[in-house]
Amino acid sequence: AVVSTQSTGALAGQETASPSIKLNEIYAVKRSDGHWRAAEIIQTRPADNGTEYYVHYTGLNRRLDEWVSADRIDTIQNGNCLLEKGNGEPERKLTRNQKRKHDEINHVQMSYAEMDPTTAALEREHEDFTKIKYCDSIVFGNYEIDTWYF
């Protein structure tokens, strides 16, 4: 869920180890890209400049969880008050070039319908040849070896 209003964040004079920030609560947190999102406080740890909070952004992959300082957490309002389900900012569309780069990085396989007929036929043939095959025994010279799998 996307935060629907712009927030000013924590007060400038506020201590970084804020007693008002509680574990397992949802707050509006400013991401590194500058957008405010709802996030759950998972864990705390001491840091050079006070306390850092490990946050999980609601609706995003856990890979994007991060440690943030208290100045990136909005302690004025609880994050639940700022959320809209499905009516937030519109999703940004990817250009063809961005989608291609994303697919290359994440190894997204094209479906057979998206491929030209020759490539699709070659891919099906390759898939048939490389399927996992199970063997009960292997003959090696005069010896027969029974196979086993974990």
Side-chain angles (χ1 to χ4, degrees):
V2 176
V3 175
S4 62
T5 61
Q6 292 295 324
S7 177
T8 59
L11 298 174
Q14 180 180 0
E15 292 293 321
T16 53
S18 174
S20 63
I21 298 175
K22 298 179 179 120
L23 289 177
N24 302 320
E25 291 291 324
I26 296 177
Y27 296 95
V29 177
K30 188 174 187 178
R31 292 194 53 211
S32 52
D33 64 2
H35 291 92
W36 289 91
R37 292 204 53 114
E40 180 181 358
I41 307 297
I42 304 294
Q43 191 176 357
T44 62
R45 73 177 179 191
D48 295 337
N49 58 352
T51 302
E52 287 187 331
Y53 301 90
Y54 192 70
V55 297
H56 167 65
Y57 296 104
T58 306
L60 296 181
N61 193 309
R62 294 241 179 239
R63 290 179 304 145
L64 301 174
D65 294 359
E66 63 181 333
W67 288 98
V68 298
S69 58
D71 62 338
R72 289 175 51 191
I73 300 173
D74 183 357
T75 56
I76 298 169
Q77 292 185 7
N78 189 306
N80 288 325
C81 300
L82 301 175
L83 298 179
E84 293 180 3
K85 301 287 183 189
N87 295 331
E89 298 174 4
E91 289 294 320
R92 195 177 85 168
K93 300 264 183 182
L94 293 176
T95 64
R96 283 185 209 156
N97 192 30
Q98 289 172 327
K99 183 178 183 327
R100 181 186 54 78
K101 286 180 181 177
H102 174 271
D103 291 351
E104 285 177 2
I105 291 169
N106 295 310
H107 304 291
V108 176
Q109 179 77 23
M110 289 175 49
S111 69
Y112 294 132
E114 295 173 324
M115 297 178 190
D116 62 273
T118 306
T119 305
L122 290 171
E123 286 294 322
R124 282 191 191 101
E125 183 179 350
H126 175 73
E127 186 177 306
D128 289 339
F129 284 130
T130 58
K131 279 185 181 175
I132 297 175
K133 298 178 177 91
Y134 296 100
C135 302
D136 293 328
S137 63
I138 299 171
V139 176
F140 192 70
N142 292 333
Y143 302 98
E144 183 175 330
I145 305 167
D146 292 329
T147 59
W148 52 278
Y149 299 92
F150 289 105

